[in-house]
Amino acid sequence: MSEVPDELIKLERSAEEARAKLAGLAGDEYDAQWRRWREASEKVQAAVTSHADASGASRYELEQAVKRAVRHAQEDPAAE
């Protein structure tokens, strides 16, 4: 797979940050944050689908590459 577009990485990172904010929340705060996470996740999915359709790439492989790129950056101490 060729290089993952920065836009997709930014969207996935945003969704992961929204998901991480769910920790420790309850009730209405949890529900509101869950909606923010869901909206961010839907944006990622739509962008991955759009890019895969436009480029002819495998949607599954592209999504996995995006997830790996975000996880790899989070594990890299130099990225912080």
Side-chain angles (χ1 to χ4, degrees), residues 18-41:
R19 183 193 57 77
K21 290 178 182 178
L22 288 167
L25 298 179
D28 290 342
E29 288 180 331
Y30 180 90
D31 293 342
Q33 184 59 37
W34 185 86
R35 283 190 295 277
R36 285 190 284 275
W37 169 57
R38 181 176 172 173
E39 289 170 8
S41 295

Side-chain angles (χ1 to χ4, degrees), residues 1-5 8 47-66:
M1 159 134 281
S2 61
E3 188 172 325
V4 177
L8 297 180
V48 167
T49 299
S50 178
H51 185 78
D53 288 348
S55 68
S58 161
R59 194 209 170 285
Y60 173 78
E61 289 179 13
L62 178 59
E63 180 179 2
Q64 294 308 306
V66 170

